[in-house]
Amino acid sequence: MLNVSIYRYNPEVDAEPYMQDYQVDTQGKDVMVLDVLEKLKTEDPSLSFRRSCREGVCGSDGLNISGKNGLACITPLSSAVKGNKLVIRPLPGLPVIRDLVIDMSQFYAQYEKIQPYMINNSPAPAIERLQSPEERAKLDGLYECILCACCSTACPSFWWNPEKFIGPSGLLQAYRFLADSRDTATEERLANLDDPFSVFRCHGIMNCVQVCPKGLNPTKAIGHIRNMLIRSAT
Amino acid sequence: MANMRTMSFDAVIVGGGGSGMRAALQLSQSGYKTAVITKVFPTRSHTVSAQGGITCAIASDDPNDQWQWHMYDTIKGSDYIGDQEAIEYMCQTGPEAIFELEHMGLPFSRTEEGRIYQRPFGGQSKDFGNGGQAARTCAAADRTGHALLHTLYQGNLKSETTFLNEWYAVDIVKNEDNAVVGVVAIDIETGETVYVKSKATVFATGGAGRIYASTTNAHICTGDGVGMALRAGFPVQDIEMWQFHPTGIHGAGTLVTEGCRGEGGYLINKDGERFMERYAPNAKDLAGRDVVARSMVLEILEGRGCGPDGDHVYLKLDHLGEETLNAKLPGILELSRTFAHADPVVEPIPVVPTCHYMMGGIPTNVDGQALTIDKDGNDQVINGFYACGEAACVSVHGANRLGGNSLLDLVVFGRASGMFIEKQLREGINLKEASEADIERAMTGLNRINNSADGEQASVLRAELQTIMQNYFGVFRRGDFMQQGIEKLKALRPRIENVALDDKSNAFNTARIEALELQNLFATAEATAIAAEGRTESRGAHAREDFQERDDENWLCHSVYFPDSKTLGKRGVNFNLKTREAFEPKIRTY
């Protein structure tokens, strides 16, 4: 039997959060953490968590699993269980709505701040805008972000300034548009980021890189933005 | 009830996937007050899982490609019960809709010429089936759905669409004229119930793959729109037509794109034989999905399956080389390593046909207007009610959808619905206000669940439902088995209606949502069962052992399931092409 300890909090019932212990029979199989949660929910339907695609592309089930942020659906027990114990908490640093469900408004607000859409006011051609494979390759490692918030909620700078620091996820997306040969708003985008907090609160701690379930590298993208800001200032 | 809040919009779209967000984009860009009700944050919608691409004759891979060839393939693929007028509209309008997405920033993969990269997919041909395999599926690596969904969300942020994220639509509100005037919805975070009133209500609620035990579909694909429409007394069309995707990962059910076979991968049995050469000598592994799925099941049934239980086959990719796999199919490498514990660079992926797509749904015309059938058999528009995407049956897929056509369907008809509603709003929509009793009626199901005193757990009932559908209504079907399945569903109905809800709290109560979803799963499953038993022929994805031939004399038509009488009717297929004479039904071979 696997020992599972889960963060519980229902604002209508509980004065404060607590850890609830369960025992789960995994039949020795190396299933995913989400499978364990689903099994527990059949026994205790009051346990609340988000999930959708169950294959690591929708970004619903970002959780803090045995101390590390990750997606429950693609984290096998073999990489999360220590001493026959699995500890599941909500992603840290954002308000908890209930159990493992956090309020992600601040995270989404930072995403919206970077104008996460193509800006190109030149008249569109009758077909697609052309882009070479080399230009397109610059978007690899950027566009794949699934907005799961594993990175931003692992970032001390985001914990301290969630209203002012864009955070690794938002900045990765900012660079996704800066790097796109089809986008023409580079100056405007850089001007929006040019303050002491938006970008420069990144201290290169690299927790984001360590936890990203898609293997992306926000720190590198932030470095590129810094260079662009410095170059545009001189 | 008297205290229930009302929110009013010009247009409300239920569902934040590809078709819903494309419809919303159209309307909010023209300045109409538009809301999207979505039970998950929009980028968590199931469109995100689409991998291989979006099929469309943009003439990038082949400068001489023609949308008419795509139209021919789609009609043939549908086994001739796709509506030809709708297919013509989709294939002709497609390029415009794709270029719009590209202009919005969708990061398509590229050719050396800088154009959108296109790959071969199943059922594709040049020159009306005479010119060999075409490469017509536009791709963003193998993450096309993700790229498309995020681009549409971004476009909606730019055009300032109102998003009611993590709200769940419970039921349709109808006025005294039987017109749809909005929905009752729950704000999941707070539990508040709200009447969301609208001049136009668009159902873009996606599919219901979760009626089966083994599915590529996300947990959230629970047929909410179909369930709501059926409870409101509206019919559904061709709901017996379920696509089983040839390559779901054995055990996990997760999808492996047809693009793998498009890029040169192929299926093998336990003897290492490339068995599709026997079943489809020309198209081989790129035959229609229904054909490939059936061939795989036959291999397994005849003892040539792989693994200790002989219950799957292998998809071989290693001969393509690591470089190609990394460039073209990076997501598949990830999925296979995670869920099959197989590295496609050196070993094959264990795969098995898995429920993937609902070809049927709410019948609509090309403008997205939902239809019902009057007692004389004529189409009647349901005022105020629209549907697009997988929830709708417009019908471009007929009895079998071609790979890459679902993304095109949702973009083209999300857009078409939006444009038509725009026009109607400009001209003025006047529907009678809902009375208190009308709104109260839409609360019936929710009230029952909120007041449930005993009953069984939703998860237990759901598992039973999924097992019945898997066992009695799978890839191969037989009348006497299906009748047994229908009896089992009848016995399950009262238990599902009486589902337990022990936890009555309001804040993010997912148990309540799952109890409501279960009602929709059941409604969709029951309609599927009755329609499948009723269609006494084999066509497309619907393969019957007791009626093995296609029966054009009796069944070259849509089935229409009426929920109040639980009976099956027929509706004619549209053969009215605007640009040429219709394609007459032929024997379908690949």
Side-chain angles (χ1 to χ4, degrees), chain B residues 11 13 23-32 34 202 418 421-422 425:
Chain B
I13 288 94
L25 182 72
Q26 196 69 34
L27 287 156
S28 59
Q29 277 178 342
S30 356
Y32 288 106
T34 307
V202 184
I421 294 166
E422 236 181 283
L425 286 167

Side-chain angles (χ1 to χ4, degrees), chain A residues 12-207:
Chain A
E12 290 166 61
V13 182
D14 304 317
E16 54 187 47
Y18 62 97
M19 298 301 289
Q20 184 167 351
D21 293 327
Y22 299 89
Q23 288 211 313
V24 181
D25 182 6
T26 60
Q27 299 172 319
K29 288 184 191 160
D30 188 17
V31 297
M32 300 296 169
V33 172
L34 181 63
D35 298 323
V36 171
L37 286 172
E38 289 286 346
K39 191 168 192 311
L40 284 173
K41 191 165 175 69
T42 65
E43 291 156 24
D44 179 358
S46 74
L47 175 64
S48 285
F49 53 90
R50 292 184 174 109
R51 85 282 181 270
S52 175
C53 75
R54 59 82 166 89
E55 57 189 26
V57 293
C58 80
S60 295
D61 61 352
L63 293 170
N64 186 272
I65 303 163
S66 296
K68 188 180 171 189
N69 290 357
L71 298 178
C73 60
I74 54 169
T75 302
L77 291 181
S78 55
S79 73
V81 172
K82 289 163 195 157
N84 198 40
K85 189 164 185 184
L86 176 67
V87 182
I88 307 176
R89 295 171 179 273
L91 290 177
L94 291 174
V96 172
I97 297 171
R98 171 173 174 165
D99 297 340
L100 301 174
V101 178
I102 53 166
D103 178 354
M104 295 175 75
S105 323
Q106 283 177 327
F107 172 78
Y108 294 135
Q110 293 300 347
Y111 174 67
E112 289 176 30
K113 217 189 263 182
I114 64 103
Q115 297 182 289
Y117 38 77
M118 175 74 57
I119 300 175
N120 184 330
N121 294 326
S122 67
I127 60 166
E128 68 270 44
R129 293 182 201 280
L130 300 182
Q131 185 174 47
S132 71
E134 293 72 30
E135 288 168 332
R136 169 60 184 75
K138 291 183 181 161
L139 308 184
D140 286 337
L142 305 173
Y143 83 96
E144 300 94 323
C145 173
I146 58 173
L147 301 178
C148 65
C150 284
C151 61
S152 293
T153 61
C155 171
S157 298
F158 189 73
W159 295 336
W160 293 324
N161 294 294
E163 306 88 15
K164 292 182 187 167
F165 176 50
I166 302 283
S169 170
L171 289 170
L172 187 83
Q173 289 313 293
Y175 186 62
R176 176 248 173 277
F177 289 98
L178 285 167
D180 196 320
S181 61
R182 301 168 296 171
D183 188 277
T184 57
T186 303
E187 281 178 33
E188 182 190 335
R189 291 182 187 280
L190 288 176
N192 285 342
L193 295 171
D194 196 6
D195 62 67
F197 280 91
S198 296
V199 178
F200 289 99
R201 282 289 136 159
C202 170
H203 297 299
I205 300 165
M206 292 181 75
N207 282 1

